[in-house]
């Protein structure tokens, strides 16, 4: 086999492998998502403009999601990797209600890191901490989530 034929064969193998790699993705589309809606109440009153985070626990697939409460304390969860809802399963839920120095809620979409923001958390860590929240729920398709919080704001 000549040097030219050897290079040509090698180039053919490399192109074939590259073509297979490009054509074959991981095949993973992610977990099946179901709509997740609900309501947040604080001392029997709707909590408006709070951020709600669902974080999977106990073998629940996926990466979780978040939403913001609207009028009446109602929320819809958006999956962190895009899409509406979450996979069914068990979640730790953190509810954050950060207020600016003038007492107004942090504007929706404000992505200033908490350490750099003048806003402060007004709910206790047992509700607001993503790592230590005591709120745990089971998400089931078509079943709204009702979060009833009690206590004083900070």
């Amino acid at each position: 086999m000549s040097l030219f034929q050897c290079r040509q064969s090698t180039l053919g193998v490399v192109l074939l492998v590259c073509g297979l790699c490009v054509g074959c993705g991981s095949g993973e589309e992610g977990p099946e998502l179901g709509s997740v809606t609900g309501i947040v109440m604080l001392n029997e009153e709707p909590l408006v403009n709070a951020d709600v985070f669902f974080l999977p626990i106990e073998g629940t697939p996926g990466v979780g999601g978040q939403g913001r409460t609207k009028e009446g304390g109602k929320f819809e969860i958006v999956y962190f990797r895009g899409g509406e809802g979450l996979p069914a399963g068990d979640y730790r839920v953190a509810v954050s209600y950060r207020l600016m120095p003038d007492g107004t809620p942090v504007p929706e979409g404000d992505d200033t890191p908490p350490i750099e923001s003048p806003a402060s958390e007004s709910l206790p860590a047992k509700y607001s901490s993503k790592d230590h929240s005591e709120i745990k729920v089971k998400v089931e398709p078509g079943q709204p989530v009702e979060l009833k919080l009690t206590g004083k704001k900070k």
Side-chain angles (χ1 to χ4, degrees):
M1 183 185 282
S2 73
L3 182 59
F4 177 72
Q5 288 173 325
C6 186
R7 284 185 180 168
Q8 195 173 25
S9 295
T10 304
L11 179 60
V13 170
V14 169
L15 290 175
L16 177 64
V17 170
C18 288
L20 290 173
C21 290
V22 170
C24 299
S26 67
E28 288 186 42
E29 294 183 20
E32 183 177 336
L33 305 179
S35 175
V36 178
T37 62
I39 187 170
V40 178
M41 305 291 283
L42 177 62
N43 299 323
E44 302 298 322
E45 296 289 326
L47 187 60
V48 180
N49 293 318
D51 293 306
V52 184
F53 302 91
F54 279 67
L55 307 154
I57 56 173
E58 300 171 12
T60 297
V63 295
Q66 75 178 60
R68 182 150 177 130
T69 59
K70 309 286 185 206
E71 184 177 333
K74 296 177 183 177
F75 65 85
E76 293 182 30
I77 298 299
V78 175
Y79 192 59
F80 282 134
R81 291 190 177 153
E84 300 290 320
L86 296 169
D90 297 310
Y91 291 84
R92 171 181 291 114
V93 179
V95 179
S96 175
Y97 189 64
R98 293 177 39 231
L99 298 174
M100 299 300 280
D102 66 1
T104 60
V106 171
E108 186 169 7
D110 181 337
D111 58 358
T112 305
I115 193 106
E116 297 174 12
S117 173
S120 60
E121 181 60 57
S122 67
L123 296 177
K126 71 179 186 175
Y127 298 138
S128 62
S129 171
K130 291 180 186 175
D131 294 324
H132 303 292
S133 173
E134 297 173 5
I135 307 169
K136 293 185 181 176
V137 300
K138 183 169 207 66
V139 169
E140 297 179 26
Q143 298 296 315
V145 176
E146 189 171 347
L147 304 174
K148 292 185 175 185
L149 315 181
T150 59
K152 295 180 181 179
K153 295 178 192 171
K154 293 181 188 176

Tab-separated table of all heavy atoms in Angstrom, residues 41-106:
chain	number	residue	atom	x	y	z
A	41	MET	N	-49.558	30.666	50.441
A	41	MET	CA	-50.276	31.457	51.442
A	41	MET	C	-49.340	31.674	52.631
A	41	MET	O	-48.631	30.759	53.040
A	41	MET	CB	-51.526	30.725	51.913
A	41	MET	CG	-52.487	30.319	50.807
A	41	MET	SD	-53.303	31.703	50.029
A	41	MET	CE	-54.517	32.108	51.248
A	42	LEU	N	-49.350	32.888	53.168
A	42	LEU	CA	-48.611	33.195	54.390
A	42	LEU	C	-49.630	33.701	55.398
A	42	LEU	O	-50.275	34.734	55.164
A	42	LEU	CB	-47.528	34.253	54.137
A	42	LEU	CG	-46.749	34.703	55.363
A	42	LEU	CD1	-45.965	33.539	55.991
A	42	LEU	CD2	-45.803	35.845	55.028
A	43	ASN	N	-49.793	32.949	56.483
A	43	ASN	CA	-50.795	33.285	57.504
A	43	ASN	C	-52.181	33.475	56.886
A	43	ASN	O	-52.872	34.444	57.160
A	43	ASN	CB	-50.371	34.529	58.293
A	43	ASN	CG	-49.054	34.314	59.008
A	43	ASN	OD1	-48.771	33.237	59.508
A	43	ASN	ND2	-48.232	35.348	59.030
A	44	GLU	N	-52.549	32.535	56.006
A	44	GLU	CA	-53.862	32.514	55.347
A	44	GLU	C	-54.068	33.643	54.328
A	44	GLU	O	-55.168	33.824	53.829
A	44	GLU	CB	-55.010	32.527	56.375
A	44	GLU	CG	-54.972	31.374	57.360
A	44	GLU	CD	-55.118	29.995	56.712
A	44	GLU	OE1	-55.906	29.859	55.755
A	44	GLU	OE2	-54.435	29.064	57.171
A	45	GLU	N	-53.015	34.399	54.020
A	45	GLU	CA	-53.094	35.460	53.017
A	45	GLU	C	-52.212	35.083	51.825
A	45	GLU	O	-51.108	34.576	52.008
A	45	GLU	CB	-52.593	36.791	53.599
A	45	GLU	CG	-53.430	37.340	54.732
A	45	GLU	CD	-54.785	37.851	54.265
A	45	GLU	OE1	-54.867	38.379	53.139
A	45	GLU	OE2	-55.758	37.685	55.022
A	46	PRO	N	-52.684	35.354	50.586
A	46	PRO	CA	-51.853	35.052	49.415
A	46	PRO	C	-50.540	35.840	49.461
A	46	PRO	O	-50.532	37.016	49.807
A	46	PRO	CB	-52.697	35.515	48.230
A	46	PRO	CG	-54.069	35.714	48.757
A	46	PRO	CD	-53.960	35.952	50.228
A	47	LEU	N	-49.440	35.168	49.141
A	47	LEU	CA	-48.127	35.812	49.096
A	47	LEU	C	-47.802	36.114	47.632
A	47	LEU	O	-47.598	35.201	46.830
A	47	LEU	CB	-47.061	34.916	49.721
A	47	LEU	CG	-45.676	35.515	49.885
A	47	LEU	CD1	-45.712	36.763	50.775
A	47	LEU	CD2	-44.716	34.489	50.479
A	48	VAL	N	-47.795	37.396	47.286
A	48	VAL	CA	-47.587	37.845	45.905
A	48	VAL	C	-46.137	38.301	45.738
A	48	VAL	O	-45.563	38.900	46.648
A	48	VAL	CB	-48.561	38.998	45.565
A	48	VAL	CG1	-48.362	39.478	44.139
A	48	VAL	CG2	-50.000	38.553	45.781
A	49	ASN	N	-45.548	38.030	44.582
A	49	ASN	CA	-44.170	38.408	44.221
A	49	ASN	C	-43.112	37.640	45.000
A	49	ASN	O	-42.020	38.156	45.231
A	49	ASN	CB	-43.946	39.918	44.367
A	49	ASN	CG	-44.752	40.706	43.378
A	49	ASN	OD1	-44.839	40.335	42.217
A	49	ASN	ND2	-45.363	41.780	43.831
A	50	ALA	N	-43.407	36.419	45.360
A	50	ALA	CA	-42.416	35.538	45.986
A	50	ALA	C	-41.859	34.607	44.911
A	50	ALA	O	-42.551	34.254	43.958
A	50	ALA	CB	-43.043	34.724	47.109
A	51	ASP	N	-40.601	34.217	45.063
A	51	ASP	CA	-39.983	33.251	44.154
A	51	ASP	C	-40.090	31.871	44.780
A	51	ASP	O	-39.790	31.691	45.967
A	51	ASP	CB	-38.523	33.624	43.899
A	51	ASP	CG	-38.403	34.924	43.123
A	51	ASP	OD1	-39.020	35.022	42.044
A	51	ASP	OD2	-37.719	35.842	43.597
A	52	VAL	N	-40.516	30.898	43.973
A	52	VAL	CA	-40.731	29.537	44.438
A	52	VAL	C	-39.783	28.627	43.664
A	52	VAL	O	-39.776	28.636	42.433
A	52	VAL	CB	-42.198	29.105	44.209
A	52	VAL	CG1	-42.456	27.727	44.778
A	52	VAL	CG2	-43.163	30.125	44.795
A	53	PHE	N	-38.975	27.854	44.401
A	53	PHE	CA	-37.988	26.960	43.794
A	53	PHE	C	-38.315	25.518	44.163
A	53	PHE	O	-38.474	25.210	45.344
A	53	PHE	CB	-36.578	27.288	44.294
A	53	PHE	CG	-36.156	28.699	44.011
A	53	PHE	CD1	-36.401	29.705	44.938
A	53	PHE	CD2	-35.523	29.025	42.824
A	53	PHE	CE1	-36.016	31.018	44.687
A	53	PHE	CE2	-35.147	30.333	42.563
A	53	PHE	CZ	-35.391	31.328	43.496
A	54	PHE	N	-38.398	24.636	43.170
A	54	PHE	CA	-38.607	23.211	43.398
A	54	PHE	C	-37.297	22.495	43.104
A	54	PHE	O	-36.787	22.575	41.980
A	54	PHE	CB	-39.712	22.691	42.478
A	54	PHE	CG	-41.106	22.968	42.974
A	54	PHE	CD1	-41.591	24.262	43.053
A	54	PHE	CD2	-41.935	21.926	43.363
A	54	PHE	CE1	-42.869	24.525	43.501
A	54	PHE	CE2	-43.220	22.170	43.821
A	54	PHE	CZ	-43.697	23.466	43.892
A	55	LEU	N	-36.758	21.789	44.087
A	55	LEU	CA	-35.471	21.115	43.974
A	55	LEU	C	-35.679	19.620	44.209
A	55	LEU	O	-36.157	19.220	45.274
A	55	LEU	CB	-34.508	21.709	45.002
A	55	LEU	CG	-34.429	23.247	44.884
A	55	LEU	CD1	-34.048	23.885	46.188
A	55	LEU	CD2	-33.484	23.624	43.786
A	56	PRO	N	-35.343	18.780	43.218
A	56	PRO	CA	-35.641	17.347	43.338
A	56	PRO	C	-34.861	16.679	44.470
A	56	PRO	O	-33.702	17.006	44.729
A	56	PRO	CB	-35.223	16.783	41.980
A	56	PRO	CG	-34.281	17.777	41.397
A	56	PRO	CD	-34.637	19.107	41.980
A	57	ILE	N	-35.526	15.751	45.161
A	57	ILE	CA	-34.899	14.965	46.228
A	57	ILE	C	-35.308	13.502	46.083
A	57	ILE	O	-36.219	13.178	45.312
A	57	ILE	CB	-35.298	15.481	47.641
A	57	ILE	CG1	-36.818	15.510	47.816
A	57	ILE	CG2	-34.705	16.854	47.905
A	57	ILE	CD1	-37.282	15.852	49.232
A	58	GLU	N	-34.631	12.638	46.809
A	58	GLU	CA	-34.989	11.220	46.927
A	58	GLU	C	-35.154	10.513	45.582
A	58	GLU	O	-36.142	9.828	45.351
A	58	GLU	CB	-36.242	11.079	47.794
A	58	GLU	CG	-36.018	11.623	49.187
A	58	GLU	CD	-37.279	11.705	50.038
A	58	GLU	OE1	-38.307	11.133	49.642
A	58	GLU	OE2	-37.206	12.349	51.089
A	59	GLY	N	-34.216	10.729	44.667
A	59	GLY	CA	-34.224	10.010	43.398
A	59	GLY	C	-35.135	10.579	42.327
A	59	GLY	O	-35.300	9.972	41.268
A	60	THR	N	-35.746	11.715	42.560
A	60	THR	CA	-36.586	12.338	41.537
A	60	THR	C	-35.691	12.821	40.401
A	60	THR	O	-34.687	13.476	40.647
A	60	THR	CB	-37.380	13.518	42.141
A	60	THR	OG1	-38.257	13.006	43.148
A	60	THR	CG2	-38.196	14.237	41.087
A	61	PRO	N	-36.047	12.502	39.141
A	61	PRO	CA	-35.193	12.921	38.018
A	61	PRO	C	-35.286	14.417	37.754
A	61	PRO	O	-36.215	15.092	38.195
A	61	PRO	CB	-35.769	12.130	36.835
A	61	PRO	CG	-37.207	11.937	37.189
A	61	PRO	CD	-37.231	11.780	38.692
A	62	GLY	N	-34.329	14.921	36.999
A	62	GLY	CA	-34.357	16.307	36.564
A	62	GLY	C	-33.576	17.235	37.471
A	62	GLY	O	-32.921	16.808	38.417
A	63	VAL	N	-33.674	18.523	37.149
A	63	VAL	CA	-32.890	19.541	37.844
A	63	VAL	C	-33.749	20.536	38.614
A	63	VAL	O	-33.224	21.446	39.248
A	63	VAL	CB	-31.974	20.305	36.857
A	63	VAL	CG1	-30.932	19.375	36.272
A	63	VAL	CG2	-32.793	20.978	35.762
A	64	GLY	N	-35.074	20.400	38.557
A	64	GLY	CA	-35.952	21.301	39.281
A	64	GLY	C	-36.366	22.498	38.446
A	64	GLY	O	-36.065	22.599	37.257
A	65	GLY	N	-37.064	23.422	39.099
A	65	GLY	CA	-37.555	24.587	38.394
A	65	GLY	C	-37.967	25.679	39.359
A	65	GLY	O	-37.822	25.546	40.571
A	66	GLN	N	-38.491	26.750	38.784
A	66	GLN	CA	-38.890	27.874	39.621
A	66	GLN	C	-40.061	28.613	39.004
A	66	GLN	O	-40.367	28.465	37.829
A	66	GLN	CB	-37.742	28.835	39.862
A	66	GLN	CG	-37.398	29.722	38.667
A	66	GLN	CD	-36.274	30.688	39.002
A	66	GLN	OE1	-35.183	30.272	39.353
A	66	GLN	NE2	-36.547	31.966	38.884
A	67	GLY	N	-40.690	29.434	39.830
A	67	GLY	CA	-41.783	30.280	39.385
A	67	GLY	C	-41.875	31.482	40.301
A	67	GLY	O	-41.129	31.597	41.282
A	68	ARG	N	-42.777	32.384	39.974
A	68	ARG	CA	-42.989	33.579	40.801
A	68	ARG	C	-44.485	33.695	41.052
A	68	ARG	O	-45.281	33.540	40.123
A	68	ARG	CB	-42.472	34.821	40.096
A	68	ARG	CG	-42.637	36.081	40.950
A	68	ARG	CD	-41.551	37.044	40.618
A	68	ARG	NE	-41.690	38.287	41.348
A	68	ARG	CZ	-40.705	38.844	42.029
A	68	ARG	NH1	-39.533	38.258	42.079
A	68	ARG	NH2	-40.885	39.977	42.651
A	69	THR	N	-44.834	33.993	42.291
A	69	THR	CA	-46.243	34.102	42.616
A	69	THR	C	-46.817	35.392	42.041
A	69	THR	O	-46.170	36.431	42.020
A	69	THR	CB	-46.488	34.049	44.136
A	69	THR	OG1	-45.794	35.117	44.774
A	69	THR	CG2	-46.042	32.711	44.713
A	70	LYS	N	-48.022	35.267	41.576
A	70	LYS	CA	-48.763	36.395	40.986
A	70	LYS	C	-49.952	36.717	41.890
A	70	LYS	O	-50.001	36.284	43.037
A	70	LYS	CB	-49.256	36.023	39.580
A	70	LYS	CG	-48.202	35.454	38.649
A	70	LYS	CD	-47.263	36.509	38.167
A	70	LYS	CE	-46.309	35.903	37.137
A	70	LYS	NZ	-45.066	36.568	37.032
A	71	GLU	N	-50.910	37.411	41.339
A	71	GLU	CA	-52.124	37.754	42.070
A	71	GLU	C	-52.732	36.503	42.695
A	71	GLU	O	-52.797	35.452	42.065
A	71	GLU	CB	-53.124	38.402	41.113
A	71	GLU	CG	-54.382	38.890	41.783
A	71	GLU	CD	-55.311	39.592	40.813
A	71	GLU	OE1	-54.827	40.151	39.808
A	71	GLU	OE2	-56.516	39.558	41.056
A	72	GLY	N	-53.142	36.623	43.930
A	72	GLY	CA	-53.740	35.497	44.641
A	72	GLY	C	-52.730	34.484	45.127
A	72	GLY	O	-53.103	33.415	45.607
A	73	GLY	N	-51.423	34.777	44.978
A	73	GLY	CA	-50.380	33.847	45.400
A	73	GLY	C	-50.179	32.679	44.450
A	73	GLY	O	-49.465	31.734	44.764
A	74	LYS	N	-50.783	32.749	43.257
A	74	LYS	CA	-50.701	31.637	42.298
A	74	LYS	C	-49.366	31.630	41.561
A	74	LYS	O	-48.801	32.677	41.279
A	74	LYS	CB	-51.834	31.742	41.284
A	74	LYS	CG	-53.197	31.598	41.921
A	74	LYS	CD	-54.286	31.772	40.902
A	74	LYS	CE	-55.644	31.684	41.585
A	74	LYS	NZ	-56.739	31.917	40.658
A	75	PHE	N	-48.883	30.419	41.257
A	75	PHE	CA	-47.625	30.281	40.521
A	75	PHE	C	-47.704	29.139	39.521
A	75	PHE	O	-48.538	28.244	39.646
A	75	PHE	CB	-46.442	30.064	41.480
A	75	PHE	CG	-46.498	28.778	42.254
A	75	PHE	CD1	-46.020	27.584	41.712
A	75	PHE	CD2	-47.025	28.750	43.538
A	75	PHE	CE1	-46.065	26.402	42.436
A	75	PHE	CE2	-47.066	27.573	44.271
A	75	PHE	CZ	-46.590	26.391	43.718
A	76	GLU	N	-46.809	29.192	38.532
A	76	GLU	CA	-46.567	28.119	37.570
A	76	GLU	C	-45.071	27.898	37.531
A	76	GLU	O	-44.304	28.864	37.483
A	76	GLU	CB	-47.062	28.493	36.176
A	76	GLU	CG	-48.556	28.615	36.067
A	76	GLU	CD	-49.003	28.952	34.651
A	76	GLU	OE1	-48.309	28.549	33.681
A	76	GLU	OE2	-50.033	29.608	34.519
A	77	ILE	N	-44.646	26.637	37.517
A	77	ILE	CA	-43.217	26.323	37.546
A	77	ILE	C	-42.673	26.118	36.139
A	77	ILE	O	-43.286	25.449	35.306
A	77	ILE	CB	-42.954	25.069	38.406
A	77	ILE	CG1	-43.390	25.319	39.850
A	77	ILE	CG2	-41.496	24.652	38.342
A	77	ILE	CD1	-42.669	26.453	40.547
A	78	VAL	N	-41.513	26.715	35.898
A	78	VAL	CA	-40.771	26.551	34.645
A	78	VAL	C	-39.534	25.716	34.961
A	78	VAL	O	-38.795	26.009	35.912
A	78	VAL	CB	-40.356	27.928	34.064
A	78	VAL	CG1	-39.492	27.756	32.830
A	78	VAL	CG2	-41.583	28.761	33.756
A	79	TYR	N	-39.310	24.678	34.172
A	79	TYR	CA	-38.162	23.786	34.346
A	79	TYR	C	-36.867	24.572	34.128
A	79	TYR	O	-36.796	25.406	33.228
A	79	TYR	CB	-38.287	22.637	33.342
A	79	TYR	CG	-37.347	21.481	33.562
A	79	TYR	CD1	-37.357	20.764	34.745
A	79	TYR	CD2	-36.474	21.080	32.565
A	79	TYR	CE1	-36.513	19.673	34.935
A	79	TYR	CE2	-35.628	20.003	32.732
A	79	TYR	CZ	-35.651	19.306	33.920
A	79	TYR	OH	-34.810	18.230	34.101
A	80	PHE	N	-35.845	24.322	34.950
A	80	PHE	CA	-34.587	25.067	34.847
A	80	PHE	C	-33.922	24.933	33.478
A	80	PHE	O	-33.192	25.820	33.055
A	80	PHE	CB	-33.585	24.632	35.927
A	80	PHE	CG	-33.859	25.215	37.291
A	80	PHE	CD1	-33.822	24.409	38.408
A	80	PHE	CD2	-34.136	26.563	37.463
A	80	PHE	CE1	-34.045	24.935	39.673
A	80	PHE	CE2	-34.378	27.099	38.719
A	80	PHE	CZ	-34.334	26.271	39.824
A	81	ARG	N	-34.134	23.843	32.770
A	81	ARG	CA	-33.506	23.656	31.458
A	81	ARG	C	-34.461	23.968	30.311
A	81	ARG	O	-34.237	23.571	29.186
A	81	ARG	CB	-32.979	22.231	31.328
A	81	ARG	CG	-31.806	21.977	32.227
A	81	ARG	CD	-31.128	20.671	31.926
A	81	ARG	NE	-29.968	20.513	32.785
A	81	ARG	CZ	-29.474	19.356	33.153
A	81	ARG	NH1	-30.026	18.226	32.733
A	81	ARG	NH2	-28.418	19.297	33.930
A	82	GLY	N	-35.518	24.696	30.612
A	82	GLY	CA	-36.481	25.078	29.589
A	82	GLY	C	-37.672	24.153	29.570
A	82	GLY	O	-37.550	22.956	29.809
A	83	GLY	N	-38.809	24.698	29.319
A	83	GLY	CA	-40.038	23.924	29.298
A	83	GLY	C	-40.896	24.239	30.505
A	83	GLY	O	-40.432	24.811	31.489
A	84	GLU	N	-42.147	23.873	30.413
A	84	GLU	CA	-43.097	24.126	31.487
A	84	GLU	C	-43.237	22.892	32.361
A	84	GLU	O	-43.386	21.790	31.861
A	84	GLU	CB	-44.470	24.481	30.905
A	84	GLU	CG	-44.482	25.720	30.029
A	84	GLU	CD	-44.260	26.996	30.815
A	84	GLU	OE1	-44.799	27.110	31.927
A	84	GLU	OE2	-43.520	27.868	30.323
A	85	GLY	N	-43.191	23.083	33.674
A	85	GLY	CA	-43.464	22.001	34.603
A	85	GLY	C	-42.241	21.256	35.093
A	85	GLY	O	-41.098	21.706	34.918
A	86	LEU	N	-42.516	20.087	35.701
A	86	LEU	CA	-41.484	19.264	36.330
A	86	LEU	C	-41.813	17.792	36.153
A	86	LEU	O	-42.974	17.439	35.933
A	86	LEU	CB	-41.446	19.548	37.842
A	86	LEU	CG	-41.057	20.932	38.311
A	86	LEU	CD1	-41.355	21.081	39.799
A	86	LEU	CD2	-39.592	21.186	38.026
A	87	PRO	N	-40.820	16.926	36.329
A	87	PRO	CA	-41.115	15.500	36.405
A	87	PRO	C	-41.871	15.208	37.708
A	87	PRO	O	-41.662	15.894	38.717
A	87	PRO	CB	-39.739	14.833	36.437
A	87	PRO	CG	-38.770	15.870	35.996
A	87	PRO	CD	-39.380	17.192	36.339
A	88	ALA	N	-42.722	14.214	37.709
A	88	ALA	CA	-43.404	13.801	38.936
A	88	ALA	C	-42.344	13.322	39.930
A	88	ALA	O	-41.298	12.798	39.546
A	88	ALA	CB	-44.396	12.683	38.634
A	89	GLY	N	-42.591	13.540	41.215
A	89	GLY	CA	-41.655	13.077	42.231
A	89	GLY	C	-41.663	13.953	43.465
A	89	GLY	O	-42.557	14.774	43.673
A	90	ASP	N	-40.635	13.758	44.287
A	90	ASP	CA	-40.510	14.467	45.559
A	90	ASP	C	-39.560	15.652	45.433
A	90	ASP	O	-38.503	15.540	44.811
A	90	ASP	CB	-39.995	13.514	46.638
A	90	ASP	CG	-40.976	12.379	46.900
A	90	ASP	OD1	-42.165	12.671	47.101
A	90	ASP	OD2	-40.550	11.210	46.905
A	91	TYR	N	-39.943	16.767	46.067
A	91	TYR	CA	-39.176	18.005	45.958
A	91	TYR	C	-39.055	18.713	47.304
A	91	TYR	O	-39.988	18.692	48.104
A	91	TYR	CB	-39.853	18.985	44.979
A	91	TYR	CG	-39.783	18.516	43.549
A	91	TYR	CD1	-40.715	17.616	43.038
A	91	TYR	CD2	-38.768	18.961	42.710
A	91	TYR	CE1	-40.635	17.177	41.735
A	91	TYR	CE2	-38.681	18.522	41.401
A	91	TYR	CZ	-39.618	17.630	40.915
A	91	TYR	OH	-39.529	17.192	39.616
A	92	ARG	N	-37.915	19.359	47.501
A	92	ARG	CA	-37.766	20.363	48.557
A	92	ARG	C	-38.164	21.670	47.882
A	92	ARG	O	-37.750	21.948	46.761
A	92	ARG	CB	-36.331	20.455	49.055
A	92	ARG	CG	-36.132	21.662	50.017
A	92	ARG	CD	-34.715	21.814	50.510
A	92	ARG	NE	-34.384	20.732	51.414
A	92	ARG	CZ	-33.479	19.780	51.175
A	92	ARG	NH1	-32.774	19.800	50.065
A	92	ARG	NH2	-33.254	18.832	52.038
A	93	VAL	N	-38.970	22.461	48.571
A	93	VAL	CA	-39.439	23.719	48.007
A	93	VAL	C	-38.924	24.868	48.866
A	93	VAL	O	-39.044	24.844	50.085
A	93	VAL	CB	-40.981	23.767	47.948
A	93	VAL	CG1	-41.455	25.101	47.387
A	93	VAL	CG2	-41.523	22.614	47.114
A	94	ALA	N	-38.336	25.848	48.217
A	94	ALA	CA	-37.897	27.070	48.898
A	94	ALA	C	-38.765	28.216	48.389
A	94	ALA	O	-38.974	28.361	47.184
A	94	ALA	CB	-36.428	27.346	48.620
A	95	VAL	N	-39.279	29.009	49.325
A	95	VAL	CA	-40.070	30.182	48.979
A	95	VAL	C	-39.296	31.396	49.485
A	95	VAL	O	-39.052	31.534	50.682
A	95	VAL	CB	-41.469	30.148	49.619
A	95	VAL	CG1	-42.252	31.400	49.252
A	95	VAL	CG2	-42.221	28.896	49.193
A	96	SER	N	-38.897	32.250	48.560
A	96	SER	CA	-38.104	33.427	48.892
A	96	SER	C	-38.931	34.685	48.649
A	96	SER	O	-39.511	34.857	47.573
A	96	SER	CB	-36.840	33.457	48.030
A	96	SER	OG	-36.119	34.648	48.246
A	97	TYR	N	-38.970	35.557	49.650
A	97	TYR	CA	-39.688	36.822	49.521
A	97	TYR	C	-38.729	37.929	49.923
A	97	TYR	O	-38.667	38.351	51.063
A	97	TYR	CB	-40.943	36.818	50.396
A	97	TYR	CG	-41.854	37.995	50.158
A	97	TYR	CD1	-42.480	38.171	48.927
A	97	TYR	CD2	-42.100	38.909	51.160
A	97	TYR	CE1	-43.328	39.252	48.706
A	97	TYR	CE2	-42.952	39.991	50.955
A	97	TYR	CZ	-43.556	40.149	49.730
A	97	TYR	OH	-44.394	41.215	49.510
A	98	ARG	N	-37.918	38.373	48.937
A	98	ARG	CA	-36.893	39.385	49.195
A	98	ARG	C	-37.478	40.775	48.974
A	98	ARG	O	-38.171	41.016	47.993
A	98	ARG	CB	-35.689	39.138	48.297
A	98	ARG	CG	-34.977	37.829	48.656
A	98	ARG	CD	-33.802	37.464	47.769
A	98	ARG	NE	-32.989	38.576	47.379
A	98	ARG	CZ	-32.634	38.838	46.117
A	98	ARG	NH1	-33.014	38.061	45.143
A	98	ARG	NH2	-31.875	39.868	45.841
A	99	LEU	N	-37.156	41.671	49.906
A	99	LEU	CA	-37.664	43.034	49.834
A	99	LEU	C	-36.525	44.029	49.716
A	99	LEU	O	-35.479	43.867	50.348
A	99	LEU	CB	-38.496	43.355	51.084
A	99	LEU	CG	-39.741	42.494	51.284
A	99	LEU	CD1	-40.400	42.810	52.620
A	99	LEU	CD2	-40.728	42.687	50.140
A	100	MET	N	-36.760	45.055	48.927
A	100	MET	CA	-35.804	46.152	48.775
A	100	MET	C	-35.850	47.011	50.049
A	100	MET	O	-36.786	46.893	50.839
A	100	MET	CB	-36.163	46.995	47.542
A	100	MET	CG	-36.133	46.214	46.225
A	100	MET	SD	-34.545	45.495	45.847
A	100	MET	CE	-33.707	46.925	45.197
A	101	PRO	N	-34.855	47.875	50.254
A	101	PRO	CA	-34.850	48.720	51.460
A	101	PRO	C	-36.122	49.552	51.651
A	101	PRO	O	-36.522	49.829	52.774
A	101	PRO	CB	-33.631	49.620	51.257
A	101	PRO	CG	-32.713	48.814	50.399
A	101	PRO	CD	-33.628	48.053	49.478
A	102	ASP	N	-36.807	49.894	50.541
A	102	ASP	CA	-38.041	50.675	50.662
A	102	ASP	C	-39.274	49.805	50.930
A	102	ASP	O	-40.392	50.300	50.992
A	102	ASP	CB	-38.264	51.544	49.425
A	102	ASP	CG	-38.534	50.737	48.164
A	102	ASP	OD1	-38.568	49.488	48.209
A	102	ASP	OD2	-38.698	51.362	47.091
A	103	GLY	N	-39.065	48.482	51.081
A	103	GLY	CA	-40.163	47.576	51.395
A	103	GLY	C	-40.857	46.962	50.200
A	103	GLY	O	-41.760	46.140	50.361
A	104	THR	N	-40.450	47.307	48.989
A	104	THR	CA	-41.054	46.726	47.796
A	104	THR	C	-40.345	45.413	47.450
A	104	THR	O	-39.160	45.238	47.726
A	104	THR	CB	-40.963	47.683	46.588
A	104	THR	OG1	-39.584	47.952	46.312
A	104	THR	CG2	-41.702	48.969	46.857
A	105	PRO	N	-41.082	44.474	46.839
A	105	PRO	CA	-40.455	43.211	46.447
A	105	PRO	C	-39.396	43.429	45.366
A	105	PRO	O	-39.473	44.392	44.598
A	105	PRO	CB	-41.606	42.385	45.880
A	105	PRO	CG	-42.846	43.075	46.305
A	105	PRO	CD	-42.509	44.501	46.550
A	106	VAL	N	-38.440	42.536	45.321
A	106	VAL	CA	-37.441	42.559	44.249
A	106	VAL	C	-38.192	42.422	42.925
A	106	VAL	O	-39.079	41.576	42.796
A	106	VAL	CB	-36.431	41.402	44.422
A	106	VAL	CG1	-35.527	41.269	43.223
A	106	VAL	CG2	-35.615	41.593	45.685
